[in-house]
């Protein structure tokens, strides 16, 4: 009788462990930019085929997704959350046991800076520094005014317009003959880079990663010689009213995977996967360039990534899960 009861308890305990780790339905925010849609589709495929989840993509964007996760507990996963943009609200959600920070989806953080083409730095190595750029200002011809040099800023209305403009002032680029050009749009800024690279001409301006542009066109981030003053960046450089801007390199932006607490508790194995899943800017830039060149959507890009880059994703999962994912790809 005792043996029967013990056996029953073991079966019950095993059932409880299994139930605690059942994945069930999982909703994943498919954010409206290329890197995020790639990662969300990778998550969907791995969670569905490797962990047996009923995974579904739902449309998302930073603020509405974060707010919905805190207030309504859905979606379950935001794979690429640029968390600095709503840090206080997310921290509160974590403190109240509504959310969890699973890990950094971008291991080296989102990257911003002032850039010049790599081919130019090979010719003039000092262009890797801001002093070198000032010294060779005449190289960067202005498209509309021969008497000035061109610095391509961030499009009007974008948050980065504030920081780029403040750093333009802090670095005293106008004193070296530079004019701050508004490219009009993201496409206009990318187009100015593509045009320069096609002709191997000088170019100097603001850009960010991860992007297809920095995957396709090899650029060097200009060193201001200032290091990073994160507090001054927050208090002044990123603020509209910045009376006395001082040079600082851009601090990396924290880019995290955020999940609901309920998902993390219900599906610990799946939660462990999203905690492990991380890419560098360089890896993501290359993948985004492939997406653009092949006009691939997130689903096609995810399949390409999982098929062609096993070395990147297999360390995120167990050998058993990796085998299931590979089987599904076939």
């Amino acid at each position: 009788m005792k043996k029967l009861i013990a056996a029953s308890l073991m079966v019950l305990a095993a059932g409880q462990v299994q139930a605690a780790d059942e994945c069930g339905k999982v909703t994943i925010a498919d954010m409206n930019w290329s890197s995020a849609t790639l990662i969300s589709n990778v998550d969907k495929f791995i969670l569905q085929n490797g962990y047996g989840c009923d995974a579904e993509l739902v449309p998302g964007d930073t603020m509405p997704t974060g707010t919905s996760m805190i207030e309504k507990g859905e979606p379950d996963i935001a794979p690429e959350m640029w968390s600095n943009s709503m840090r206080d609200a997310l921290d509160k959600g974590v403190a109240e046991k509504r959310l969890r920070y699973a890990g950094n989806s971008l291991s080296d953080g989102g990257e911003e800076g002032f850039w010049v083409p790599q081919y130019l730095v090979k010719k003039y190595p000092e262009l890797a520094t801001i002093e070198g750029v000032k010294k060779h200002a005449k190289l960067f011809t202005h498209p509309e005014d021969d008497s000035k040099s061109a610095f391509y800023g961030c499009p009007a209305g974008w948050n980065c317009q504030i920081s780029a403009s403040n750093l333009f002032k802090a670095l005293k680029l106008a004193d070296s003959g530079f004019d701050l050009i508004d490219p009009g749009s993201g496409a206009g800024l990318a187009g100015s880079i593509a045009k320069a690279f096609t002709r191997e001409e000088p170019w100097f301006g603001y850009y960010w990663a991860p992007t297809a542009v920095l995957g396709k066109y090899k650029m060097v981030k200009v060193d201001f010689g200032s290091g990073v003053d994160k507090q001054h960046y927050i208090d002044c450089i990123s603020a509209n009213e910045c009376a006395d801007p001082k040079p600082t390199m851009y601090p990396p932006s924290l880019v995290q995977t955020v999940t609901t607490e309920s998902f993390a508790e219900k599906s610990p194995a799946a939660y462990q996967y999203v905690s492990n899943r991380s890419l560098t800017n360089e890896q993501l830039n290359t993948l985004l360039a492939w997406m653009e060149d092949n006009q691939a959507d997130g689903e096609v890009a995810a399949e390409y990534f999982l098929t062609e880059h096993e070395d990147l994703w297999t360390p995120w999962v167990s050998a058993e899960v990796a085998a299931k994912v590979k089987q599904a790809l076939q």
Side-chain angles (χ1 to χ4, degrees), residues 13-301:
Q16 284 173 340
V17 169
Q18 186 180 9
D21 202 13
E22 276 176 5
C23 192
K25 184 169 182 180
V26 179
T27 48
I28 306 164
D30 185 2
M31 308 289 208
N32 58 358
W33 59 89
S34 297
S35 57
T37 200
L38 166 62
I39 295 173
S40 63
N41 275 276
V42 168
D43 283 355
K44 181 186 177 187
F45 196 94
I46 289 179
L47 290 174
Q48 206 160 272
N49 296 289
Y51 295 91
C53 305
D54 176 14
E56 178 193 354
L57 297 183
V58 295
D61 203 347
T62 304
M63 299 300 254
T65 295
T67 304
S68 177
M69 289 175 79
I70 294 164
E71 293 179 359
K72 301 176 185 174
E74 56 187 30
D76 294 298
I77 305 168
E80 190 187 307
M81 180 68 80
W82 289 65
S83 43
N84 284 351
S85 57
M86 56 179 312
R87 168 60 53 201
D88 291 345
L90 293 173
D91 282 349
K92 189 167 183 260
V94 170
E96 293 173 352
K97 300 285 188 193
R98 296 168 187 261
L99 302 179
R100 274 201 209 178
Y101 293 125
N104 293 343
S105 38
L106 263 179
S107 59
D108 46 359
E111 188 175 19
E112 296 175 272
F114 291 1
W115 307 79
V116 291
Q118 191 180 69
Y119 55 75
L120 208 57
V121 175
K122 283 181 180 174
K123 196 172 179 182
Y124 305 98
E126 60 264 49
L127 289 177
T129 68
I130 198 66
E131 292 310 317
V133 169
K134 290 177 180 179
K135 179 182 167 186
H136 294 282
K138 293 290 183 190
L139 286 172
F140 303 96
T141 357
H142 196 288
E144 294 166 6
D145 187 346
D146 290 343
S147 69
K148 292 183 178 177
S149 303
F151 171 81
Y152 288 87
C154 200
W158 290 26
N159 283 349
C160 52
Q161 185 196 25
I162 297 166
S163 60
S165 300
N166 282 330
L167 283 171
F168 182 88
K169 290 176 199 165
L171 295 164
K172 298 183 168 53
L173 289 173
D175 294 352
S176 298
F178 281 98
D179 183 35
L180 176 55
I181 295 173
D182 178 355
S185 65
L189 185 57
S192 71
I193 294 171
K195 183 180 173 186
F197 269 75
T198 302
R199 303 174 181 183
E200 283 219 354
E201 291 176 346
W203 186 93
F204 175 45
Y206 167 90
Y207 219 75
W208 73 97
T211 49
V213 165
L214 289 183
K216 192 182 293 190
Y217 305 114
K218 298 306 170 192
M219 307 272 268
V220 172
K221 185 158 64 172
V222 176
D223 188 350
F224 300 161
S226 61
V228 177
D229 184 342
K230 189 174 180 181
Q231 202 54 52
H232 181 67
Y233 177 83
I234 293 166
D235 294 342
C236 191
I237 298 299
S238 61
N240 252 320
E241 302 296 326
C242 181
D244 185 21
K246 294 178 174 60
T248 171
M249 297 294 282
Y250 282 89
S253 297
L254 197 57
V255 184
Q256 296 174 290
T257 299
V258 179
T259 77
T260 57
E261 182 67 24
S262 59
F263 165 75
E265 287 181 354
K266 181 185 71 173
S267 316
Y271 175 79
Q272 188 59 50
Y273 152 69
V274 295
S275 300
N276 293 343
R277 189 250 304 113
S278 189
L279 290 165
T280 66
N281 267 296
E282 189 175 353
Q283 289 162 348
L284 210 38
N285 286 342
T286 303
L287 289 166
L288 295 176
W290 182 89
M291 275 181 84
E292 187 172 284
D293 288 345
N294 292 274
Q295 296 184 316
D297 62 13
E299 188 176 358
V300 171

Side-chain angles (χ1 to χ4, degrees), residues 297-318:
D297 62 13
E299 188 176 358
V300 171
E303 192 172 329
Y304 164 79
F305 168 72
L306 292 167
T307 306
E308 300 296 328
H309 294 280
E310 283 185 12
D311 59 315
L312 295 183
W313 68 264
T314 49
W316 303 338
V317 298
S318 67

